[in-house]
Amino acid sequence: HGESGMGDGPLAGLLNIHTPSLLELTRANDGSFPFEAVLATIDGRDGVRAHGSTMPVWGERFQVSASSERGETADMIARGRILSLVYYLESIQQ
């Protein structure tokens, strides 16, 4: 969807479908940002399907080596990164 969330990301032209804008999720949901649905879709590890195929599993891609010194797990790091992205998407709603 690109950095702007407008569907104009670098891979949009390579897809067989129109990449939708993510700027009107709140409007499309009666004025309420669908936080949990967006979180589950981005994470992708719960089997949510989009456009006939699975979304990229960002939950796995956002994992990094965890620091046992700080008590972090790879899953905690991935969830934190995904939460940051969801909060960003919420902040750019029109």
Side-chain angles (χ1 to χ4, degrees):
H1 301 272
E3 287 183 38
S4 69
M6 297 177 68
D8 59 355
L11 300 178
L14 301 175
L15 299 175
N16 293 330
I17 59 154
H18 169 72
T19 307
S21 170
L22 300 176
L23 302 182
E24 297 185 6
L25 297 172
T26 297
R27 184 178 299 160
N29 287 277
D30 298 322
S32 178
F33 182 73
F35 192 94
E36 290 179 14
V38 172
L39 181 69
T41 300
I42 293 171
D43 185 293
R45 293 178 285 184
D46 66 355
V48 172
R49 296 178 63 83
H51 312 301
S53 63
T54 56
M55 289 280 292
V57 182
W58 295 109
E60 290 176 2
R61 294 180 191 212
F62 283 166
Q63 290 180 341
V64 298
S65 297
S67 169
S68 59
E69 290 178 16
R70 296 188 306 225
E72 296 172 335
T73 66
D75 190 59
M76 290 167 63
I77 293 167
R79 289 182 190 277
R81 290 175 173 180
I82 292 167
L83 278 172
S84 294
L85 182 53
V86 174
Y87 282 122
Y88 169 71
L89 291 173
E90 185 176 29
S91 77
I92 63 171
Q93 296 303 294
Q94 296 180 347

PDB file of all heavy atoms in Angstrom, residues 13 15 34 55:
ATOM      1  N   GLY A  13       2.001  -1.805  -9.033  1.00  0.00           N
ATOM      2  CA  GLY A  13       1.890  -2.016 -10.471  1.00  0.00           C
ATOM      3  C   GLY A  13       2.108  -3.453 -10.912  1.00  0.00           C
ATOM      4  O   GLY A  13       1.765  -3.819 -12.027  1.00  0.00           O
ATOM      5  N   LEU A  15       0.836  -6.094  -9.237  1.00  0.00           N
ATOM      6  CA  LEU A  15      -0.261  -6.935  -8.769  1.00  0.00           C
ATOM      7  C   LEU A  15      -1.374  -7.010  -9.806  1.00  0.00           C
ATOM      8  O   LEU A  15      -1.549  -6.102 -10.608  1.00  0.00           O
ATOM      9  CB  LEU A  15      -0.810  -6.386  -7.447  1.00  0.00           C
ATOM     10  CG  LEU A  15       0.186  -6.335  -6.297  1.00  0.00           C
ATOM     11  CD1 LEU A  15      -0.434  -5.663  -5.085  1.00  0.00           C
ATOM     12  CD2 LEU A  15       0.662  -7.733  -5.936  1.00  0.00           C
ATOM     13  N   PRO A  34     -11.040   0.145  12.722  1.00  0.00           N
ATOM     14  CA  PRO A  34     -11.121  -1.287  13.052  1.00  0.00           C
ATOM     15  C   PRO A  34      -9.778  -1.834  13.532  1.00  0.00           C
ATOM     16  O   PRO A  34      -9.145  -2.665  12.872  1.00  0.00           O
ATOM     17  CB  PRO A  34     -11.559  -1.914  11.733  1.00  0.00           C
ATOM     18  CG  PRO A  34     -10.960  -1.013  10.697  1.00  0.00           C
ATOM     19  CD  PRO A  34     -11.033   0.374  11.281  1.00  0.00           C
ATOM     20  N   MET A  55      -2.147 -12.809   2.855  1.00  0.00           N
ATOM     21  CA  MET A  55      -1.366 -11.580   2.905  1.00  0.00           C
ATOM     22  C   MET A  55       0.063 -11.978   3.269  1.00  0.00           C
ATOM     23  O   MET A  55       0.274 -13.056   3.828  1.00  0.00           O
ATOM     24  CB  MET A  55      -1.905 -10.649   3.995  1.00  0.00           C
ATOM     25  CG  MET A  55      -3.238 -10.019   3.678  1.00  0.00           C
ATOM     26  SD  MET A  55      -3.061  -8.600   2.586  1.00  0.00           S
ATOM     27  CE  MET A  55      -2.240  -7.447   3.664  1.00  0.00           C
TER      28      MET A  55
END
